[in-house]
Amino acid sequence: MGPRDPKFPVQGPRLSGATRRSALGLLLGTPLLSACAGVQQSLSQFSNPFSSSPPPAQPAGPPQQATTAGSGGVKVAVILPLSAAGNAGLAAQSMRNAAEMALAEFQNPNIQLLIKDDNGSPQGAQAGAQQAVDEGAEIILGPLFAQSVPAVAQVARTRGISVIAFSTDSSIAGRGVYLLSFLPESDVNRIVEYSASIGKRSVAVLVPDNAYGNVVEAAVKAAVPRRGGRIVAFEKYGADRATPARTVAQQLGGADALFIADDGDAVVAVADAMTAAGANLRNIQLLGTGLWDSPRVYASPALQGGLYAAPDPAGFRAFSGRYRTKYGAEPIRTATLAYDAVALVAALARTQGPTRFSSDVLTNPSGFAGIDGLFRFRADGTNERGLAVMKVTTGGGVAVAGSPKSFGA
């Protein structure tokens, strides 16, 4: 499940002039409204195979009937686990609301959403995809869970159409399957790039001994030397955090940064283990990923001043305000993925003519601007995001470096 080649893809014909500029701003058609902070859920609580399992053992409910939204001439499939058990079904409903909200906020879109319930299973996802393409869908948005994506891709490839899925498992990307999700590789690249820019080039690393840790390991071991740095200590930890913490603590004298990649509870436990091992974390720059966006992290004295990469929260706050006004509830954190996917295809349908969903258009190197900032798809199906760098404070995350306004070459 390692990360893909970080090289940017070689493109075919480029979008030029005004077309390129409009592509970059495709998703900025709605005003950003001020709002209170949204719920601080993990970016990957529902779509990340690393930190939580897909639908639990509880039985799913009966499949929901397929519905449509919009009346445009370009048909777009949306496949979500609407009747899946527990939080998965709640997440899917929030994403469906966000998709329909994007449709309502985009002025006169020429698309129609064919909304299919996959029941939280690969079989349901494949059946929904088949039904949608038989009805004329030109592109498929979803599914949410990694194990359902190959089943949908099989249907899509027989028709030569693209899939924009919401899973964070980069091993399933490629051959017309693009991931619009929060990938760990983007977090690692951004925080390593920023730490090198402030002179932190000798890095000690602690990662969990699991699938997420494996992805982060590959990414950090590539990113640090690429930015002229070196890894002075590297350890993985499982249930026993004390032993790896002692090993790294003994080598911190040669490091000016300590990178810990895990979610809120685990990061706090690792930091405490490092302190117990004699490390003075105030004398070193702490680094992390978007999973640090957690009340537990902000409340930890040991992690104050730590830096992590994540989308600028202003976009989600504005989105949350509009969502609450429309639906009277809080959106799930990953609802922005569904919003951005629908806004993207609506804009491409308006501006790109018959090639609207081709690989050359979808992998435009200028990228697109969404709720969570810039993103662009790579030819291998993974994505790159323009992330902010956030600082841990007791009041929450504070941006110390904003999201980029454009992508480099």
PDB file of all heavy atoms in Angstrom, residues 282-313:
ATOM      1  N   ARG A 282      10.588  20.225  24.369  1.00  0.00           N
ATOM      2  CA  ARG A 282      10.575  21.675  24.133  1.00  0.00           C
ATOM      3  C   ARG A 282      11.814  22.131  23.368  1.00  0.00           C
ATOM      4  O   ARG A 282      11.847  23.242  22.854  1.00  0.00           O
ATOM      5  CB  ARG A 282      10.477  22.417  25.458  1.00  0.00           C
ATOM      6  CG  ARG A 282       9.112  22.296  26.127  1.00  0.00           C
ATOM      7  CD  ARG A 282       9.028  23.192  27.373  1.00  0.00           C
ATOM      8  NE  ARG A 282       7.672  23.183  27.929  1.00  0.00           N
ATOM      9  CZ  ARG A 282       7.237  22.270  28.785  1.00  0.00           C
ATOM     10  NH1 ARG A 282       8.033  21.282  29.158  1.00  0.00           N
ATOM     11  NH2 ARG A 282       5.997  22.322  29.257  1.00  0.00           N
ATOM     12  N   ASN A 283      12.822  21.270  23.321  1.00  0.00           N
ATOM     13  CA  ASN A 283      14.072  21.638  22.648  1.00  0.00           C
ATOM     14  C   ASN A 283      14.147  21.136  21.212  1.00  0.00           C
ATOM     15  O   ASN A 283      15.201  21.224  20.584  1.00  0.00           O
ATOM     16  CB  ASN A 283      15.270  21.085  23.429  1.00  0.00           C
ATOM     17  CG  ASN A 283      15.444  21.776  24.766  1.00  0.00           C
ATOM     18  OD1 ASN A 283      14.953  22.888  24.963  1.00  0.00           O
ATOM     19  ND2 ASN A 283      16.131  21.118  25.679  1.00  0.00           N
ATOM     20  N   ILE A 284      13.051  20.616  20.701  1.00  0.00           N
ATOM     21  CA  ILE A 284      13.058  20.059  19.360  1.00  0.00           C
ATOM     22  C   ILE A 284      11.752  20.421  18.664  1.00  0.00           C
ATOM     23  O   ILE A 284      10.716  20.589  19.332  1.00  0.00           O
ATOM     24  CB  ILE A 284      13.260  18.517  19.405  1.00  0.00           C
ATOM     25  CG1 ILE A 284      13.672  17.978  18.038  1.00  0.00           C
ATOM     26  CG2 ILE A 284      12.019  17.814  19.938  1.00  0.00           C
ATOM     27  CD1 ILE A 284      14.224  16.556  18.101  1.00  0.00           C
ATOM     28  N   GLN A 285      11.793  20.572  17.355  1.00  0.00           N
ATOM     29  CA  GLN A 285      10.567  20.899  16.621  1.00  0.00           C
ATOM     30  C   GLN A 285       9.771  19.635  16.361  1.00  0.00           C
ATOM     31  O   GLN A 285      10.237  18.716  15.694  1.00  0.00           O
ATOM     32  CB  GLN A 285      10.889  21.578  15.285  1.00  0.00           C
ATOM     33  CG  GLN A 285       9.662  21.952  14.480  1.00  0.00           C
ATOM     34  CD  GLN A 285       8.750  22.909  15.215  1.00  0.00           C
ATOM     35  OE1 GLN A 285       9.131  24.028  15.526  1.00  0.00           O
ATOM     36  NE2 GLN A 285       7.525  22.474  15.508  1.00  0.00           N
ATOM     37  N   LEU A 286       8.563  19.581  16.882  1.00  0.00           N
ATOM     38  CA  LEU A 286       7.686  18.430  16.656  1.00  0.00           C
ATOM     39  C   LEU A 286       6.952  18.605  15.338  1.00  0.00           C
ATOM     40  O   LEU A 286       6.474  19.697  15.017  1.00  0.00           O
ATOM     41  CB  LEU A 286       6.686  18.302  17.802  1.00  0.00           C
ATOM     42  CG  LEU A 286       7.288  18.033  19.185  1.00  0.00           C
ATOM     43  CD1 LEU A 286       6.212  18.094  20.253  1.00  0.00           C
ATOM     44  CD2 LEU A 286       7.987  16.679  19.209  1.00  0.00           C
ATOM     45  N   LEU A 287       6.825  17.503  14.594  1.00  0.00           N
ATOM     46  CA  LEU A 287       6.164  17.510  13.286  1.00  0.00           C
ATOM     47  C   LEU A 287       5.132  16.394  13.240  1.00  0.00           C
ATOM     48  O   LEU A 287       5.333  15.321  13.820  1.00  0.00           O
ATOM     49  CB  LEU A 287       7.190  17.300  12.160  1.00  0.00           C
ATOM     50  CG  LEU A 287       8.403  18.238  12.113  1.00  0.00           C
ATOM     51  CD1 LEU A 287       9.366  17.772  11.026  1.00  0.00           C
ATOM     52  CD2 LEU A 287       7.954  19.677  11.858  1.00  0.00           C
ATOM     53  N   GLY A 288       4.032  16.623  12.495  1.00  0.00           N
ATOM     54  CA  GLY A 288       3.007  15.603  12.377  1.00  0.00           C
ATOM     55  C   GLY A 288       2.209  15.729  11.096  1.00  0.00           C
ATOM     56  O   GLY A 288       2.515  16.537  10.220  1.00  0.00           O
ATOM     57  N   THR A 289       1.157  14.930  11.000  1.00  0.00           N
ATOM     58  CA  THR A 289       0.284  14.898   9.830  1.00  0.00           C
ATOM     59  C   THR A 289      -1.082  15.469  10.183  1.00  0.00           C
ATOM     60  O   THR A 289      -1.334  15.877  11.315  1.00  0.00           O
ATOM     61  CB  THR A 289       0.113  13.454   9.315  1.00  0.00           C
ATOM     62  OG1 THR A 289      -0.639  12.705  10.291  1.00  0.00           O
ATOM     63  CG2 THR A 289       1.456  12.784   9.088  1.00  0.00           C
ATOM     64  N   GLY A 290      -1.993  15.463   9.217  1.00  0.00           N
ATOM     65  CA  GLY A 290      -3.328  15.988   9.428  1.00  0.00           C
ATOM     66  C   GLY A 290      -4.116  15.264  10.499  1.00  0.00           C
ATOM     67  O   GLY A 290      -5.111  15.804  11.005  1.00  0.00           O
ATOM     68  N   LEU A 291      -3.701  14.062  10.887  1.00  0.00           N
ATOM     69  CA  LEU A 291      -4.388  13.354  11.964  1.00  0.00           C
ATOM     70  C   LEU A 291      -4.178  14.035  13.312  1.00  0.00           C
ATOM     71  O   LEU A 291      -4.841  13.702  14.291  1.00  0.00           O
ATOM     72  CB  LEU A 291      -3.906  11.899  12.042  1.00  0.00           C
ATOM     73  CG  LEU A 291      -4.229  11.007  10.838  1.00  0.00           C
ATOM     74  CD1 LEU A 291      -3.761   9.580  11.095  1.00  0.00           C
ATOM     75  CD2 LEU A 291      -5.714  11.011  10.513  1.00  0.00           C
ATOM     76  N   TRP A 292      -3.255  15.001  13.366  1.00  0.00           N
ATOM     77  CA  TRP A 292      -3.063  15.761  14.600  1.00  0.00           C
ATOM     78  C   TRP A 292      -4.209  16.742  14.851  1.00  0.00           C
ATOM     79  O   TRP A 292      -4.271  17.344  15.927  1.00  0.00           O
ATOM     80  CB  TRP A 292      -1.748  16.537  14.525  1.00  0.00           C
ATOM     81  CG  TRP A 292      -0.524  15.743  14.825  1.00  0.00           C
ATOM     82  CD1 TRP A 292      -0.301  14.430  14.556  1.00  0.00           C
ATOM     83  CD2 TRP A 292       0.678  16.231  15.444  1.00  0.00           C
ATOM     84  NE1 TRP A 292       0.961  14.064  14.956  1.00  0.00           N
ATOM     85  CE2 TRP A 292       1.585  15.151  15.500  1.00  0.00           C
ATOM     86  CE3 TRP A 292       1.072  17.469  15.927  1.00  0.00           C
ATOM     87  CZ2 TRP A 292       2.865  15.284  16.046  1.00  0.00           C
ATOM     88  CZ3 TRP A 292       2.342  17.610  16.465  1.00  0.00           C
ATOM     89  CH2 TRP A 292       3.225  16.520  16.531  1.00  0.00           C
ATOM     90  N   ASP A 293      -5.072  16.949  13.905  1.00  0.00           N
ATOM     91  CA  ASP A 293      -6.198  17.874  14.067  1.00  0.00           C
ATOM     92  C   ASP A 293      -7.185  17.249  15.040  1.00  0.00           C
ATOM     93  O   ASP A 293      -8.211  16.691  14.658  1.00  0.00           O
ATOM     94  CB  ASP A 293      -6.851  18.140  12.715  1.00  0.00           C
ATOM     95  CG  ASP A 293      -7.981  19.156  12.806  1.00  0.00           C
ATOM     96  OD1 ASP A 293      -8.110  19.819  13.856  1.00  0.00           O
ATOM     97  OD2 ASP A 293      -8.735  19.275  11.834  1.00  0.00           O
ATOM     98  N   SER A 294      -6.850  17.334  16.340  1.00  0.00           N
ATOM     99  CA  SER A 294      -7.599  16.614  17.371  1.00  0.00           C
ATOM    100  C   SER A 294      -7.578  17.385  18.677  1.00  0.00           C
ATOM    101  O   SER A 294      -6.531  17.920  19.070  1.00  0.00           O
ATOM    102  CB  SER A 294      -6.972  15.229  17.585  1.00  0.00           C
ATOM    103  OG  SER A 294      -7.375  14.654  18.817  1.00  0.00           O
ATOM    104  N   PRO A 295      -8.702  17.440  19.396  1.00  0.00           N
ATOM    105  CA  PRO A 295      -8.713  18.100  20.705  1.00  0.00           C
ATOM    106  C   PRO A 295      -7.694  17.518  21.676  1.00  0.00           C
ATOM    107  O   PRO A 295      -7.151  18.237  22.515  1.00  0.00           O
ATOM    108  CB  PRO A 295     -10.155  17.868  21.191  1.00  0.00           C
ATOM    109  CG  PRO A 295     -10.958  17.693  19.947  1.00  0.00           C
ATOM    110  CD  PRO A 295     -10.049  16.978  18.989  1.00  0.00           C
ATOM    111  N   ARG A 296      -7.422  16.217  21.567  1.00  0.00           N
ATOM    112  CA  ARG A 296      -6.437  15.597  22.459  1.00  0.00           C
ATOM    113  C   ARG A 296      -5.051  16.184  22.229  1.00  0.00           C
ATOM    114  O   ARG A 296      -4.283  16.394  23.165  1.00  0.00           O
ATOM    115  CB  ARG A 296      -6.399  14.083  22.221  1.00  0.00           C
ATOM    116  CG  ARG A 296      -7.582  13.314  22.766  1.00  0.00           C
ATOM    117  CD  ARG A 296      -7.652  13.376  24.292  1.00  0.00           C
ATOM    118  NE  ARG A 296      -6.398  13.001  24.935  1.00  0.00           N
ATOM    119  CZ  ARG A 296      -5.991  11.754  25.167  1.00  0.00           C
ATOM    120  NH1 ARG A 296      -6.755  10.729  24.793  1.00  0.00           N
ATOM    121  NH2 ARG A 296      -4.846  11.518  25.769  1.00  0.00           N
ATOM    122  N   VAL A 297      -4.714  16.433  20.979  1.00  0.00           N
ATOM    123  CA  VAL A 297      -3.407  17.016  20.659  1.00  0.00           C
ATOM    124  C   VAL A 297      -3.329  18.440  21.202  1.00  0.00           C
ATOM    125  O   VAL A 297      -2.338  18.827  21.838  1.00  0.00           O
ATOM    126  CB  VAL A 297      -3.152  16.989  19.144  1.00  0.00           C
ATOM    127  CG1 VAL A 297      -1.902  17.792  18.788  1.00  0.00           C
ATOM    128  CG2 VAL A 297      -3.009  15.551  18.657  1.00  0.00           C
ATOM    129  N   TYR A 298      -4.370  19.236  20.964  1.00  0.00           N
ATOM    130  CA  TYR A 298      -4.353  20.630  21.399  1.00  0.00           C
ATOM    131  C   TYR A 298      -4.273  20.748  22.924  1.00  0.00           C
ATOM    132  O   TYR A 298      -3.725  21.714  23.451  1.00  0.00           O
ATOM    133  CB  TYR A 298      -5.589  21.371  20.882  1.00  0.00           C
ATOM    134  CG  TYR A 298      -5.745  21.311  19.388  1.00  0.00           C
ATOM    135  CD1 TYR A 298      -6.990  21.087  18.799  1.00  0.00           C
ATOM    136  CD2 TYR A 298      -4.648  21.463  18.550  1.00  0.00           C
ATOM    137  CE1 TYR A 298      -7.132  21.030  17.425  1.00  0.00           C
ATOM    138  CE2 TYR A 298      -4.780  21.402  17.169  1.00  0.00           C
ATOM    139  CZ  TYR A 298      -6.032  21.177  16.621  1.00  0.00           C
ATOM    140  OH  TYR A 298      -6.161  21.106  15.249  1.00  0.00           O
ATOM    141  N   ALA A 299      -4.799  19.762  23.628  1.00  0.00           N
ATOM    142  CA  ALA A 299      -4.799  19.800  25.095  1.00  0.00           C
ATOM    143  C   ALA A 299      -3.507  19.268  25.699  1.00  0.00           C
ATOM    144  O   ALA A 299      -3.305  19.380  26.909  1.00  0.00           O
ATOM    145  CB  ALA A 299      -5.987  18.995  25.624  1.00  0.00           C
ATOM    146  N   SER A 300      -2.640  18.684  24.901  1.00  0.00           N
ATOM    147  CA  SER A 300      -1.418  18.070  25.421  1.00  0.00           C
ATOM    148  C   SER A 300      -0.325  19.111  25.635  1.00  0.00           C
ATOM    149  O   SER A 300       0.117  19.764  24.688  1.00  0.00           O
ATOM    150  CB  SER A 300      -0.911  17.006  24.446  1.00  0.00           C
ATOM    151  OG  SER A 300       0.398  16.579  24.799  1.00  0.00           O
ATOM    152  N   PRO A 301       0.173  19.277  26.858  1.00  0.00           N
ATOM    153  CA  PRO A 301       1.269  20.222  27.092  1.00  0.00           C
ATOM    154  C   PRO A 301       2.528  19.863  26.304  1.00  0.00           C
ATOM    155  O   PRO A 301       3.250  20.753  25.838  1.00  0.00           O
ATOM    156  CB  PRO A 301       1.512  20.108  28.603  1.00  0.00           C
ATOM    157  CG  PRO A 301       0.223  19.592  29.167  1.00  0.00           C
ATOM    158  CD  PRO A 301      -0.323  18.681  28.111  1.00  0.00           C
ATOM    159  N   ALA A 302       2.777  18.572  26.132  1.00  0.00           N
ATOM    160  CA  ALA A 302       4.001  18.134  25.461  1.00  0.00           C
ATOM    161  C   ALA A 302       4.025  18.479  23.983  1.00  0.00           C
ATOM    162  O   ALA A 302       5.098  18.584  23.382  1.00  0.00           O
ATOM    163  CB  ALA A 302       4.180  16.624  25.638  1.00  0.00           C
ATOM    164  N   LEU A 303       2.843  18.652  23.370  1.00  0.00           N
ATOM    165  CA  LEU A 303       2.772  18.847  21.914  1.00  0.00           C
ATOM    166  C   LEU A 303       2.605  20.305  21.510  1.00  0.00           C
ATOM    167  O   LEU A 303       2.508  20.601  20.319  1.00  0.00           O
ATOM    168  CB  LEU A 303       1.630  18.005  21.336  1.00  0.00           C
ATOM    169  CG  LEU A 303       1.812  16.488  21.462  1.00  0.00           C
ATOM    170  CD1 LEU A 303       0.546  15.758  21.023  1.00  0.00           C
ATOM    171  CD2 LEU A 303       3.005  16.013  20.645  1.00  0.00           C
ATOM    172  N   GLN A 304       2.572  21.217  22.488  1.00  0.00           N
ATOM    173  CA  GLN A 304       2.393  22.634  22.156  1.00  0.00           C
ATOM    174  C   GLN A 304       3.540  23.117  21.265  1.00  0.00           C
ATOM    175  O   GLN A 304       4.712  22.836  21.520  1.00  0.00           O
ATOM    176  CB  GLN A 304       2.329  23.469  23.424  1.00  0.00           C
ATOM    177  CG  GLN A 304       1.128  23.172  24.304  1.00  0.00           C
ATOM    178  CD  GLN A 304      -0.192  23.323  23.562  1.00  0.00           C
ATOM    179  OE1 GLN A 304      -0.496  24.384  23.033  1.00  0.00           O
ATOM    180  NE2 GLN A 304      -0.975  22.247  23.522  1.00  0.00           N
ATOM    181  N   GLY A 305       3.186  23.844  20.213  1.00  0.00           N
ATOM    182  CA  GLY A 305       4.175  24.342  19.270  1.00  0.00           C
ATOM    183  C   GLY A 305       4.494  23.376  18.147  1.00  0.00           C
ATOM    184  O   GLY A 305       5.239  23.729  17.229  1.00  0.00           O
ATOM    185  N   GLY A 306       3.939  22.167  18.202  1.00  0.00           N
ATOM    186  CA  GLY A 306       4.148  21.201  17.121  1.00  0.00           C
ATOM    187  C   GLY A 306       3.512  21.682  15.827  1.00  0.00           C
ATOM    188  O   GLY A 306       2.530  22.444  15.838  1.00  0.00           O
ATOM    189  N   LEU A 307       4.066  21.269  14.715  1.00  0.00           N
ATOM    190  CA  LEU A 307       3.586  21.677  13.395  1.00  0.00           C
ATOM    191  C   LEU A 307       3.055  20.463  12.645  1.00  0.00           C
ATOM    192  O   LEU A 307       3.646  19.382  12.697  1.00  0.00           O
ATOM    193  CB  LEU A 307       4.719  22.312  12.586  1.00  0.00           C
ATOM    194  CG  LEU A 307       5.413  23.527  13.207  1.00  0.00           C
ATOM    195  CD1 LEU A 307       6.606  23.951  12.351  1.00  0.00           C
ATOM    196  CD2 LEU A 307       4.435  24.695  13.370  1.00  0.00           C
ATOM    197  N   TYR A 308       1.948  20.645  11.940  1.00  0.00           N
ATOM    198  CA  TYR A 308       1.404  19.562  11.126  1.00  0.00           C
ATOM    199  C   TYR A 308       0.791  20.144   9.857  1.00  0.00           C
ATOM    200  O   TYR A 308       0.439  21.329   9.793  1.00  0.00           O
ATOM    201  CB  TYR A 308       0.363  18.739  11.890  1.00  0.00           C
ATOM    202  CG  TYR A 308      -0.872  19.502  12.310  1.00  0.00           C
ATOM    203  CD1 TYR A 308      -2.013  19.519  11.512  1.00  0.00           C
ATOM    204  CD2 TYR A 308      -0.908  20.205  13.517  1.00  0.00           C
ATOM    205  CE1 TYR A 308      -3.156  20.201  11.884  1.00  0.00           C
ATOM    206  CE2 TYR A 308      -2.048  20.897  13.908  1.00  0.00           C
ATOM    207  CZ  TYR A 308      -3.162  20.895  13.086  1.00  0.00           C
ATOM    208  OH  TYR A 308      -4.304  21.576  13.458  1.00  0.00           O
ATOM    209  N   ALA A 309       0.688  19.321   8.836  1.00  0.00           N
ATOM    210  CA  ALA A 309       0.115  19.742   7.558  1.00  0.00           C
ATOM    211  C   ALA A 309      -1.343  19.322   7.493  1.00  0.00           C
ATOM    212  O   ALA A 309      -1.696  18.199   7.860  1.00  0.00           O
ATOM    213  CB  ALA A 309       0.890  19.115   6.399  1.00  0.00           C
ATOM    214  N   ALA A 310      -2.187  20.224   7.027  1.00  0.00           N
ATOM    215  CA  ALA A 310      -3.628  19.938   6.916  1.00  0.00           C
ATOM    216  C   ALA A 310      -4.261  21.004   6.025  1.00  0.00           C
ATOM    217  O   ALA A 310      -3.674  22.061   5.800  1.00  0.00           O
ATOM    218  CB  ALA A 310      -4.290  19.959   8.298  1.00  0.00           C
ATOM    219  N   PRO A 311      -5.461  20.745   5.508  1.00  0.00           N
ATOM    220  CA  PRO A 311      -6.163  21.802   4.786  1.00  0.00           C
ATOM    221  C   PRO A 311      -6.404  23.002   5.691  1.00  0.00           C
ATOM    222  O   PRO A 311      -6.618  22.846   6.898  1.00  0.00           O
ATOM    223  CB  PRO A 311      -7.493  21.138   4.389  1.00  0.00           C
ATOM    224  CG  PRO A 311      -7.221  19.669   4.429  1.00  0.00           C
ATOM    225  CD  PRO A 311      -6.218  19.475   5.516  1.00  0.00           C
ATOM    226  N   ASP A 312      -6.372  24.193   5.119  1.00  0.00           N
ATOM    227  CA  ASP A 312      -6.702  25.392   5.873  1.00  0.00           C
ATOM    228  C   ASP A 312      -8.134  25.249   6.391  1.00  0.00           C
ATOM    229  O   ASP A 312      -9.063  25.012   5.612  1.00  0.00           O
ATOM    230  CB  ASP A 312      -6.596  26.627   4.974  1.00  0.00           C
ATOM    231  CG  ASP A 312      -6.738  27.929   5.746  1.00  0.00           C
ATOM    232  OD1 ASP A 312      -7.593  28.001   6.644  1.00  0.00           O
ATOM    233  OD2 ASP A 312      -6.002  28.875   5.436  1.00  0.00           O
ATOM    234  N   PRO A 313      -8.360  25.354   7.708  1.00  0.00           N
ATOM    235  CA  PRO A 313      -9.707  25.100   8.249  1.00  0.00           C
ATOM    236  C   PRO A 313     -10.749  26.131   7.852  1.00  0.00           C
ATOM    237  O   PRO A 313     -11.940  25.897   8.035  1.00  0.00           O
ATOM    238  CB  PRO A 313      -9.470  25.107   9.768  1.00  0.00           C
ATOM    239  CG  PRO A 313      -8.227  25.904   9.966  1.00  0.00           C
ATOM    240  CD  PRO A 313      -7.375  25.646   8.758  1.00  0.00           C
TER     241      PRO A 313
END
